[in-house]
């Protein structure tokens, strides 16, 4: 595996200082701020499942399907649009606009007067989810110290998992406090609360520094110097200019004039395939369909509130497992590395999906519930430790600054399209071949993912983002 010393793009000048920096409280604060969109990504993609039964409009099957899966489709559009915009206007501007769209979408969902308005507001939210997911880890990768980049970027995954869990908890709380207002105000409050973190993020993001690497790449040296200053690093404009010159010379020496070099294209293909596997191996089956598939096993009184609560409790248990397991990703991503965690993660997904499938096929009663829940819990843990955050991390770190926005957003688009495909296909497959066989197919896909990662994903821990690009360039040649 490549190491930093083998990299031909040494970190230079002020970027070397940035890479060697200690991650102060301000770095963590900035990371969390960049990842509020991740929280809303989790909250908004899972909240629909909790309130769907209580929306009092006549919704066609298509409209219902759109409300559940439409966020993913909207996210694909948001992601692909974000790329050129962020490369042109910066990371910070886009993060602010995203937060605004999130807030408007959540408020409109809460005060909606008919099905059309609800669909429009959910589409807006989908756009924000996609755009934000496209650039959050790219922004982090551009200021994070090299040795902490993995851990900082995993915060995005953590916020996603917390968002998912909080959406279930909020719904449970509101349904419990006002069980008679399910179809009147409860679902509106659940949707509308998404506006609170969005508004706070919008205000705070207005004061965050722009990405220093992006500013440098755009030749805005005085602004770069100020961004460094906000990050607690004192450099002169002269030093910034020198660094830009050195980077230019380095690129000329390596004849890397073109932005989309073979190495960059290779990196893009690898991240896209990783994302396809991240989704089609079925992580969102227990999340989107778990309450429905498992809720009925826990409770069958026929009471609508009881049924909703049982489904939510099941989902909340799995959501909590997801949050806790993500801690291990955060802890080990910079020590064990991306490759090993991803291989272990996908391998765990194979094993535990097969166990859960066996439970579905051969067991009944409480034994079935226990085996399926335990299988799903460990399947989710394996995903959380090695696959979820690793995907979003490599999406942010493997591309050169000049094309990072476009490349990262292209990859995010692939993620959302794959997400959409599995959400839409699952019910049909389930009816056609039965749940246990679907689960076996998902396990087989995880096995393919193990082989793919082992064969193609290089290790990128502890390298500067400039060196990461080189690793792919070398693999290509
Ligand atoms: C995936 C989402 C998934 C979530 C679960 C993310 O990395 O992109 O599709 O719902 O992890 O934690």
């Amino acid at each position: 595996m490549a190491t930093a010393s083998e990299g031909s793009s040494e970190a230079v000048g002020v970027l070397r200082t940035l890479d060697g920096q200690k991650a102060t409280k301000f770095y963590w604060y900035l990371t969390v701020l960049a990842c509020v969109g991740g929280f809303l990504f989790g909250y908004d993609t899972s909240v629909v499942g909790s309130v769907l039964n209580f929306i009092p409009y006549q919704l066609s099957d298509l409209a219902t399907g759109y409300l559940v899966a439409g966020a993913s489709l909207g996210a694909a559009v948001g992601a692909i649009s974000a790329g050129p915009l962020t490369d042109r206007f910066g990371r910070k501007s886009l993060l602010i606009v995203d937060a605004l769209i999130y807030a408007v979408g959540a408020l409109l969902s809460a005060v909606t007067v008919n099905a059309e308005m609800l669909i429009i507001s959910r589409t807006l939210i989908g756009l924000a989810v996609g755009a934000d997911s496209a650039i959050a880890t790219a922004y982090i990768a551009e200021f994070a110290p090299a040795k902490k980049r993995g851990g900082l970027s995993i915060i995005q995954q953590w916020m996603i998992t917390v968002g998912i869990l909080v959406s279930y908890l909020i719904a449970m709380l509101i349904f419990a406090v006002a069980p008679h207002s399910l179809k009147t105000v409860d679902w509106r409050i659940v949707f509308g609360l998404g506006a609170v973190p969005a508004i706070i993020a919008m205000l705070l993001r207005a004061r965050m520094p722009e990405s220093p690497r992006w500013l440098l790449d755009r030749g805005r040296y005085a602004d770069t110097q100020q961004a460094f200053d906000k990050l607690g690093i004192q450099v002169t404009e002269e030093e910034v200019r020198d660094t830009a010159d050195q980077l230019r010379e380095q690129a000329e020496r390596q004849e890397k004039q073109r932005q989309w070099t073979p190495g960059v294209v290779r990196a893009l293909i690898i991240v896209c395939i990783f994302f396809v596997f991240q989704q089609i191996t079925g992580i969102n089956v227990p999340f989107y369909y778990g309450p429905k598939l498992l809720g009925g096993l826990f409770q069958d009184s026929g009471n609508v509130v009881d049924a909703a609560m049982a489904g939510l409790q099941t989902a909340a248990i799995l959501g909590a497992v997801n949050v806790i397991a993500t801690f291990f990703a955060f802890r080990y991503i910079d020590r064990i590395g991306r490759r090993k965690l991803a291989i272990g993660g996908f391998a765990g997904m194979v094993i535990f999906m097969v166990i859960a499938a066996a439970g579905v096929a051969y067991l009944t009663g409480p034994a079935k519930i226990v085996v399926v829940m335990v299988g799903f819990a460990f399947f989710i843990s394996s995903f959380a430790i090695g696959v979820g955050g690793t995907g979003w991390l490599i999406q942010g770190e493997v591309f050169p600054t000049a094309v990072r926005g476009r490349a990262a957003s292209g990859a995010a688009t692939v993620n959302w399209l794959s997400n959409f495909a599995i959400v839409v296909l699952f019910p049909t497959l389930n009816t056609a071949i039965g749940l246990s066989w679907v689960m076996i197919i998902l396990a087989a896909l995880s096995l393919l993912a193990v082989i793919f990662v082992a064969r193609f994903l290089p290790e990128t821990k502890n390298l500067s983002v400039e060196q990461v690009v080189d690793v792919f360039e070398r693999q290509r040649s």
Side-chain angles (χ1 to χ4, degrees):
M1 246 341 86
T3 64
S5 56
E6 289 165 33
S8 41
S9 290
E10 283 304 316
V12 290
V14 295
L15 293 184
R16 191 202 295 259
T17 318
L18 192 61
D19 278 337
Q21 202 61 6
K22 262 183 68 156
T24 59
K25 277 195 192 136
F26 186 63
Y27 281 64
W28 291 100
Y29 162 77
L30 270 190
T31 303
V32 171
L33 207 50
C35 297
V36 177
F39 173 87
L40 290 165
F41 159 169
Y43 188 90
D44 283 310
T45 48
S46 32
V47 80
V48 178
S50 316
V51 297
L52 200 58
N53 288 336
F54 310 121
I55 293 173
Y57 306 131
Q58 277 297 339
L59 293 170
S60 65
D61 281 354
L62 193 70
T64 309
Y66 184 82
L67 279 183
V68 178
S72 325
L73 208 55
V77 177
I80 199 69
S81 326
L85 291 175
T86 189
D87 280 344
R88 172 92 184 72
F89 299 107
R91 318 306 188 208
K92 175 179 162 174
S93 339
L94 211 71
L95 286 171
I96 297 172
V97 175
D98 281 345
L100 174 67
I101 304 177
Y102 262 129
V104 173
L107 291 174
L108 286 180
S109 313
V111 299
T112 192
V113 293
N114 54 27
E116 288 74 29
M117 185 168 166
L118 183 59
I119 284 176
I120 293 172
S121 18
R122 299 313 294 171
T123 306
L124 271 183
I125 292 205
L127 290 175
V129 171
D132 221 279
S133 70
I135 53 170
T137 51
Y139 173 77
I140 296 169
E142 289 177 357
F143 73 82
K147 291 198 167 134
K148 283 276 186 245
R149 193 176 55 244
L152 286 166
S153 301
I154 294 286
I155 300 290
Q156 167 76 348
Q157 178 67 18
W158 216 343
M159 294 285 272
I160 297 172
T161 63
V162 172
I164 296 175
L165 177 60
V166 168
S167 84
Y168 299 139
L169 297 179
I170 295 256
M172 277 162 67
L173 183 75
I174 291 173
F175 295 171
V177 171
H180 304 300
S181 318
L182 291 174
K183 293 195 168 187
T184 49
V185 276
D186 286 9
W187 64 274
R188 293 179 183 276
I189 298 178
V190 175
F191 272 146
L193 279 177
V196 176
I199 293 171
I200 296 174
M202 191 179 68
L203 298 176
L204 296 178
R205 281 177 174 184
R207 306 188 50 173
M208 75 202 302
E210 180 50 280
S211 151
R213 277 190 164 85
W214 178 80
L215 289 167
L216 185 67
D217 190 73
R218 304 292 292 183
R220 289 171 50 182
Y221 304 134
D223 293 336
T224 312
Q225 189 243 328
Q226 274 169 26
F228 267 88
D229 194 47
K230 279 199 177 174
L231 289 164
I233 305 171
Q234 266 66 52
V235 293
T236 62
E237 203 181 315
E238 211 35 55
E239 286 170 311
V240 173
R241 201 175 290 276
D242 268 3
T243 307
D245 291 342
Q246 287 180 54
L247 285 173
R248 208 167 302 119
E249 278 163 26
Q250 210 171 55
E252 272 161 23
R253 241 191 349 263
Q254 296 165 16
E255 293 170 353
K256 273 198 313 200
Q257 256 48 296
R258 288 181 306 127
Q259 294 186 334
W260 296 96
T261 59
V264 175
V265 174
R266 182 183 175 94
L268 181 56
I269 294 171
I270 291 177
V271 176
C272 286
I273 298 178
F274 191 104
F275 266 158
V276 171
F277 278 123
Q278 192 217 50
Q279 291 297 318
I280 65 169
T281 44
I283 183 60
N284 288 316
V285 168
F287 282 126
Y288 294 4
Y289 295 102
K292 217 167 155 192
L293 292 173
L294 297 165
L297 296 180
F298 285 99
Q299 140 17 83
D300 51 10
S301 71
N303 176 308
V304 60
V305 182
D306 288 354
M309 278 298 196
L312 279 171
Q313 280 158 6
T314 318
I317 294 171
L318 296 177
V321 167
N322 196 18
V323 172
I324 295 166
T326 305
F327 170 75
F328 293 96
F330 165 74
R331 187 106 174 75
Y332 293 112
I333 194 77
D334 287 315
R335 292 195 218 165
I336 297 182
R338 287 67 165 148
R339 261 176 70 77
K340 284 190 188 151
L341 277 194
I343 292 173
F346 277 123
M349 288 166 72
V350 178
I351 296 166
F352 295 110
M353 193 51 117
V354 170
I355 291 177
V360 171
Y362 299 116
L363 299 175
T364 50
K368 178 174 185 165
I369 298 177
V370 171
V371 171
V372 175
M373 277 298 275
V374 169
F376 271 162
F378 280 98
F379 169 81
I380 291 172
S381 305
S382 308
F383 174 92
I385 296 171
V387 177
T390 308
W392 293 109
L393 160 64
I394 57 172
Q395 175 238 15
E397 76 178 3
V398 301
F399 306 115
T401 302
V403 297
R404 181 170 292 112
R406 276 162 291 165
S409 75
T413 309
V414 169
N415 184 293
W416 288 109
L417 288 176
S418 316
N419 179 315
F420 178 72
I422 189 89
V423 174
V424 168
L425 273 180
F426 174 76
T428 316
L429 272 179
N430 193 17
T431 316
I433 58 171
L435 184 57
S436 46
W437 279 111
V438 178
M439 291 164 81
I440 294 297
I441 295 179
L442 297 177
L445 290 170
S446 289
L447 190 61
L448 277 183
V450 171
I451 300 169
F452 164 76
V453 173
R455 171 80 183 78
F456 295 107
L457 185 73
E459 185 51 79
T460 45
K461 70 170 177 178
N462 295 343
L463 303 181
S464 82
V465 284
E466 286 72 24
Q467 291 166 331
V468 170
V469 178
D470 261 1
V471 173
F472 286 89
E473 223 56 84
R474 274 200 304 276
Q475 265 196 342
R476 182 63 180 73
S477 52

